Amino acid sequence: GVTALLTGLVKTGSVQLGEALYSLGGLLLFLTGVTVFGLLLVPRVINGVARLKDDETLLLTILGFCFLVSFIALKLNYSLALGAFMVGVMGAESEHLRRVYQQCVPLRTMFSAIFFVTIGLLVDPAGLLAQWPVVLGMTLLVIVGKSLNCTAGLLLTGQDLKNAIQTGVGMAQIGEFAYLVALIGVTTRVVDSSLYQIAVGVSILTTLLNPFLMRGSDPLSDWAVRRLPVRWKEYLETYANWYERFRHTQAPSGAAAAV
């Protein structure tokens, strides 16, 4: 949704507050309309087509909805990916979800290969090497920033410090989503093409360094636990116990409501 909003703002050529609010309102209206009408129509149509026992017709119906909603999103200056995502959400409500998924697996495999081949063809080794100071700096920023961010998020969910640090360090990398964001910026001519090379370089480095970071996360977490003041340990344990009690008090009410 954020990517779609930014894409729309870029295409309108304005980042003023009024334009941003207008684009956000249009996005919410589009999502609401597609969700309401889609959840009422798409699952029923898919269920009806699925009863024909014709896999080709089922696949063509799914693709038809995908292209239609994506076309509407494009006409409203939003991302094509937003339309495809919304069709996936609506199709998930179908009773024949497993069969729909099986029909889409070959397409997913084919387009995944096309996506990564396209990503590789856009890489410029010379441009990548020319940006190596920025790539190293951004790699360090991603590793430190994502480690701290994910560790803090896990602590908020009641995890102990050791597991939070180990998981946070393991998440310190970027993947194909960074390519997509950088590619949107390059194709809309908002940023220089060098940003794409930087995103690829940072992704490669963080992926290569991830196994070593995972190996070092155990001694790092042990060191952090030893160095943490006793008062902070008590605060974290108290919060973790409260969060666990809160989860258990919510579970019975949900189970009773289901019964």
Side-chain angles (χ1 to χ4, degrees):
V2 175
T3 303
L5 176 60
L6 293 177
T7 304
L9 291 176
V10 166
K11 290 183 178 180
T12 57
S14 175
V15 291
Q16 297 179 358
L17 178 61
E19 293 292 337
L21 293 176
Y22 178 80
S23 182
L24 179 60
L27 176 61
L28 294 177
L29 183 62
F30 169 76
L31 294 177
T32 302
V34 171
T35 301
V36 172
F37 291 102
L39 292 178
L40 294 175
L41 177 64
V42 174
R44 294 184 180 181
V45 173
I46 292 178
N47 292 336
V49 174
R51 296 188 186 96
L52 301 176
K53 305 298 181 181
D54 187 346
D55 291 339
E56 293 182 358
T57 304
L58 179 61
L59 181 58
L60 290 174
T61 302
I62 298 168
L63 291 177
F65 278 119
C66 182
F67 292 148
L68 176 61
V69 179
S70 298
F71 177 77
I72 295 174
L74 182 63
K75 286 299 182 180
L76 294 176
N77 289 327
Y78 299 122
S79 173
L80 284 171
L82 177 63
F85 171 77
M86 293 303 299
V87 173
V89 172
M90 293 180 293
E93 299 297 322
S94 172
E95 299 175 359
H96 303 273
L97 177 61
R98 183 178 297 275
R99 186 178 166 196
V100 170
Y101 174 78
Q102 291 175 349
Q103 293 301 312
C104 294
V105 165
L107 289 177
R108 184 194 64 177
T109 304
M110 180 184 68
F111 283 108
S112 296
I114 294 175
F115 172 77
F116 285 107
V117 169
T118 304
I119 292 297
L121 291 175
L122 293 176
V123 175
D124 180 14
L128 185 60
L129 292 176
Q131 300 292 334
W132 70 267
V134 181
V135 171
L136 291 179
M138 291 299 297
T139 300
L140 180 62
L141 180 63
V142 168
I143 292 175
V144 175
K146 288 201 67 175
S147 297
L148 294 177
N149 184 40
C150 294
T151 299
L154 288 166
L155 289 176
L156 290 175
T157 60
Q159 299 294 323
D160 62 272
L161 181 62
K162 181 179 177 64
N163 289 331
I165 292 177
Q166 288 179 324
T167 307
V169 172
M171 297 292 292
Q173 59 178 310
I174 60 175
E176 63 277 2
F177 186 74
Y179 305 156
L180 178 61
V181 174
L183 196 57
I184 290 175
V186 172
T187 53
T188 52
R189 299 181 181 179
V190 178
V191 296
D192 189 74
S193 60
S194 60
L195 178 64
Y196 182 81
Q197 310 301 328
I198 294 173
V200 172
V202 173
S203 177
I204 293 174
L205 279 182
T206 53
T207 302
L208 292 176
L209 291 175
N210 189 256
F212 301 99
L213 294 174
M214 289 291 294
R215 183 180 300 175
S217 64
D218 189 55
L220 175 64
S221 59
D222 290 336
W223 176 84
V225 170
R226 290 195 305 268
R227 300 289 297 178
L228 189 70
V230 177
R231 179 175 299 180
W232 282 98
K233 291 181 180 179
E234 294 176 352
Y235 288 156
L236 291 177
E237 291 177 359
T238 302
Y239 176 79
N241 292 332
W242 171 84
Y243 186 84
E244 190 66 22
R245 289 196 303 270
F246 176 78
R247 289 180 57 191
H248 283 298
T249 55
Q250 296 298 315
S253 60
V259 174

